Amino acid sequence: MVAAASLFAQEQPATSLPASQTDAESTPATAVSAQAVEPAGANRVFGVLPNYRTADASQEGSVLTNRQKLDIASKDSFDYPLVALAGALAGLGQWTNQSPSFGQGAKGFGHRLITNYADQSTGNMFTEGVFPVLLHEDPRYFRLGTGSVGSRVFYALTRVMVTHKDSGGRRFNYSEWLGNAGSVAISNAYYPDSRTFADNGTKLLMQVGTDAVSQVAKEFWPDIRRKLFHKE
């Protein structure tokens, strides 16, 4: 799968810039405005899923500063609906008795709530902030916005494999995989029941898979919002 992803994510030529730029060759991408732009479909999908990393396709070719990358990661990590999401996952874990050492009752639920929130927040900070800064990659999800449903679903799912470089062009999404791998490694400190190599591999695939599915929701959310709630 990684080999296929590497072929799919082979570096593309940088997007051409407006003729008004005098040094287009030496500066293949433009810095985005310091003024925050609300993501397509507002800041939350269905009022729950943080949507701060979503950008319109027209913004491709722009470059975020390190501070802007960390700001996106912070908003996605510490937005209050994330606590509700962690609570839902904690409830599911309590029901299925995941991590038996946590126990049941209020204490077990509280333990699961905190650890699920830690999973979400560290994953977001690493994949959207820390590693994009270190690797000079763009953490944003650029909505396709047009085309058939199938092509848009495929595009959204495969963005966990492909990302934009700050210098222009595309490559394999190292930030997504290394960031989630780092989050999984840290989680071994508070998940004593699942520290094997197989357990860690499963958790990594689940976190990347969750990101892929969330991007499908982000791709179609503006359309759903417009049709159901008559909002742009």
Side-chain angles (χ1 to χ4, degrees), residues 76-77 82 85-86 89 115-125 183 190 207 210-211:
D76 265 0
S77 299
L82 203 62
L85 178 60
L89 293 173
T115 53
N116 272 287
Y117 182 78
D119 290 344
Q120 299 292 323
S121 58
T122 56
N124 288 341
M125 285 302 301
S183 174
Y190 50 80
Q207 290 194 198
T210 298
D211 287 346

Side-chain angles (χ1 to χ4, degrees), residues 30 44 53 91 103 171 226 230:
T30 57
R44 301 179 187 91
R53 71 187 297 186
R171 72 179 181 192
R226 183 170 55 253
H230 307 290

